[in-house]
Amino acid sequence: MTDVFEHTPQIWNAAQLRDALKDAPIHISVAGDPGDFDGYREFVLVDTHQVENWWPATSTAPERTKTAEALTLFADWEPGAYDRLN
């Protein structure tokens, strides 16, 4: 018999996503294989994190100090029973 576990991620609703994105429209699909969006897989959004990428000054560009803000979206499998991977 296969070892099964119950997967129950906290799924976000549209209001939570809108609040995190400040009403910016977004659509995400994940290709089933590289470049294959005909077989894309559906996931649920479970969290976001504001991140700041930082590039320090270097010896060739001592005046450079760049930052860029970004929003990382975290997706998980849909709720359900899945075979446990060994």
Side-chain angles (χ1 to χ4, degrees), residues 49-70:
H49 286 274
Q50 291 284 90
V51 295
E52 183 176 287
N53 296 315
W54 181 72
W55 296 272
T58 64
S59 61
T60 58
E63 72 287 349
R64 179 182 88 166
T65 301
K66 291 185 176 180
T67 61
E69 291 185 14

Side-chain angles (χ1 to χ4, degrees):
M1 181 174 205
T2 304
D3 187 16
V4 175
F5 68 99
E6 190 66 28
H7 181 69
T8 56
Q10 179 187 355
I11 302 169
W12 279 32
N13 61 36
Q16 289 170 298
L17 178 58
R18 274 191 219 98
D19 184 51
L21 298 174
K22 305 294 184 240
D23 295 321
I26 242 180
H27 176 79
I28 298 172
S29 63
V30 178
D33 288 309
D36 179 15
F37 288 97
D38 290 333
Y40 72 90
R41 184 169 182 90
E42 292 188 28
F43 292 93
V44 293
L45 181 65
V46 295
D47 202 1
T48 65
H49 286 274
Q50 291 284 90
V51 295
E52 183 176 287
N53 296 315
W54 181 72
W55 296 272
T58 64
S59 61
T60 58
E63 72 287 349
R64 179 182 88 166
T65 301
K66 291 185 176 180
T67 61
E69 291 185 14
L71 183 67
T72 300
L73 305 177
F74 292 90
D76 201 347
W77 290 51
E78 294 180 301
Y82 295 94
D83 293 342
R84 188 175 301 277
L85 299 175
N86 292 330

